[in-house]
Amino acid sequence: MSSPDPQVRAARNPTFPSSVRGPVVAVTGAAGGVGALLTERLAADEAVRQVVAIDERRGECADAVWHILDVRDPAIADKLRGVDVVVHLALDLDLGSDPAARTAYNVRGTQTVLTAAAAAGVRRVVLCTSAMVYGALPDNELPLSEDAELRATAEATGVADLLEIERLARRAPRAHPGLNVTVVRPAVLVGGTDTALTRYFESPRLLVVAGSRPAWQFCHVEDLCTALEYAVLEKVEGELAVGCDGWLEQEEVEELSGIRRMELPSAVALGAAARLHRIGLTPSPAGDLAYTMYPWVVSGSRLHAAGWRPRWTNEEVLAELLEEVAGRHTVAGRRLGRKDATAAGAAGATVALLGAAAVVRRARKARRRI
């Protein structure tokens, strides 16, 4: 085996304090999504000495040192030697993933990265969860501070995993003295993402639950990357919320998007969503609806105090999201093909899916009576 490049070897064995020469930063999940964007950004940053990219496939950033492995592999500790900061972005939040497999990957991966980082002498780990961990509740303050209680439940897609990652983040400094953990919590993330919340804007009608008070706050992936960079360079630490300044009311979203609402009573909307998910017609559990009903807007005060500002406004991010989802057809979280959408029609598709849940329920009642 050939010996490492001298520059790489020097980066892993610094002779000067990293505060003088800049940190060596490892990024997990570096081949795609936010990880790929952050890897490119850090590789171009003169304040960063070296970028170590970790993923199960090689990405496109030629200026990073690549290691191909699963983040659950304990061998990752060897790849982190000489690294100052780890940004852990290898998470599976795909709507189509098996929930048990997704949890096993997300939680085990985070545990392994934290333990490996401590063993390798890494001084800081940056984790990325979501502002969803605050919960979407009718009595939430507008906006929420970073110190607000995490009141989310495990009923929405992936939120149980994020809450467990938050617990691991709180426990890690006690289990591994000297390890600093920063958690970044973005609002509704937009920019090449596919979530239950971005699919909400693929619907022919925006579902509004009667009596609810939605408030929409977005976070563009570019702004998330600059916030992560602040954490990497130790300009800010602790729990950090990130998003556009302010928020949009539901009426503003409807006016800007040009998509009309379909208002349903709470019992009907939540009951139908639960049944549709239970019988496998939609990927989103009923818990996802709460995040379109009640506010979970964050202030981002810690990042702002450190000098960070979002480049994107809520209006601009919504416009980009609408451009991204143009031509897609989703009803109740289920993405329809062009043929299905054309045959069903806009309102008709919604009624058909809601009706399907009712039909299944009646059929089950009938079988019980036999």
Side-chain angles (χ1 to χ4, degrees):
M1 182 180 296
S2 60
S3 60
D5 181 270
Q7 290 184 336
V8 174
R9 185 169 59 247
R12 294 178 180 174
N13 301 281
T15 56
F16 299 100
S18 58
S19 59
V20 175
R21 301 182 57 207
V24 177
V25 183
V27 180
T28 69
V34 177
L37 292 173
L38 182 64
T39 299
E40 290 283 358
R41 184 176 182 87
L42 293 176
D45 191 335
E46 293 182 356
V48 174
R49 181 156 32 109
Q50 177 69 63
V51 178
V52 176
I54 298 173
D55 209 316
E56 293 177 58
R57 62 183 176 87
R58 186 182 179 87
E60 296 181 2
C61 183
D63 294 324
V65 176
W66 284 90
H67 296 297
I68 313 303
L69 80 165
D70 189 315
V71 291
R72 295 169 293 182
D73 187 341
I76 194 173
D78 292 332
K79 313 303 180 186
L80 297 181
R81 300 202 183 279
V83 168
D84 300 298
V85 183
V86 176
V87 185
H88 178 48
L89 298 174
L91 295 178
D92 178 8
L93 299 175
D94 193 317
L95 287 171
S97 295
D98 174 73
R102 180 173 60 212
T103 295
Y105 179 82
N106 291 338
V107 175
R108 178 63 176 169
T110 302
Q111 287 174 326
T112 303
V113 167
L114 288 168
T115 301
V122 173
R123 68 168 183 261
R124 177 184 295 260
V125 174
V126 181
L127 302 176
C128 188
T129 60
S130 168
M132 294 176 77
V133 296
Y134 291 110
L137 298 158
D139 62 344
N140 273 348
E141 293 184 359
L142 277 168
L144 292 161
S145 71
E146 279 94 345
D147 292 328
E149 182 184 354
L150 305 188
R151 298 196 290 163
T153 67
E155 297 172 356
T157 304
V159 172
D161 296 358
L162 300 179
L163 289 170
E164 180 60 20
I165 290 170
E166 293 271 353
R167 189 186 70 81
L168 292 171
R170 290 191 299 272
R171 191 177 67 180
R174 297 193 298 271
H176 309 292
L179 181 65
N180 183 299
V181 179
T182 296
V183 180
V184 180
R185 301 165 180 158
V188 180
L189 195 59
V190 174
T193 58
D194 177 25
T195 66
L197 293 168
T198 59
R199 287 193 183 189
Y200 177 82
F201 294 93
E202 299 177 14
S203 301
R205 296 285 185 270
L206 297 179
L207 174 62
V208 176
V209 176
S212 65
R213 183 173 61 102
W216 290 91
Q217 181 187 38
F218 301 99
C219 177
H220 195 277
V221 291
E222 291 179 359
D223 283 336
L224 173 58
C225 284
T226 60
L228 290 168
E229 191 172 19
Y230 261 62
V232 164
L233 298 177
E234 301 182 85
K235 296 180 180 180
V236 63
E237 61 182 17
E239 290 80 32
L240 312 173
V242 55
C244 300
D245 290 337
W247 63 89
L248 298 173
E249 303 288 350
Q250 181 70 23
E251 292 76 14
E252 294 176 285
V253 166
E254 292 169 20
E255 182 178 354
L256 290 167
S257 68
I259 308 174
R260 290 183 291 171
R261 70 168 61 194
M262 182 179 71
E263 191 163 316
L264 292 175
S266 176
V268 173
L270 293 170
R275 291 192 295 275
L276 289 169
H277 181 66
R278 188 167 58 248
I279 62 180
L281 283 179
T282 64
S284 299
D288 287 346
L289 263 184
Y291 291 89
T292 70
M293 293 170 61
Y294 303 118
W296 47 293
V297 172
V298 291
S299 69
S301 58
R302 287 184 181 146
L303 279 163
H304 280 68
W308 178 90
R309 295 292 183 274
R311 292 186 59 188
W312 293 73
T313 66
N314 282 302
E315 291 84 352
E316 290 169 340
V317 179
L318 176 58
E320 172 149 323
L321 173 56
L322 292 171
E323 186 176 335
E324 282 189 5
V325 304
R328 298 177 188 168
H329 306 279
T330 293
V331 174
R334 180 190 179 193
R335 188 169 285 159
L336 305 177
R338 184 186 301 272
K339 188 175 181 181
D340 294 331
T342 302
T350 303
V351 172
L353 274 178
L354 294 176
V359 168
V360 169
R361 182 176 58 174
R362 288 197 298 269
R364 287 177 175 170
K365 286 183 178 179
R367 283 198 298 270
R368 285 197 292 269
R369 287 197 297 266
I370 296 175

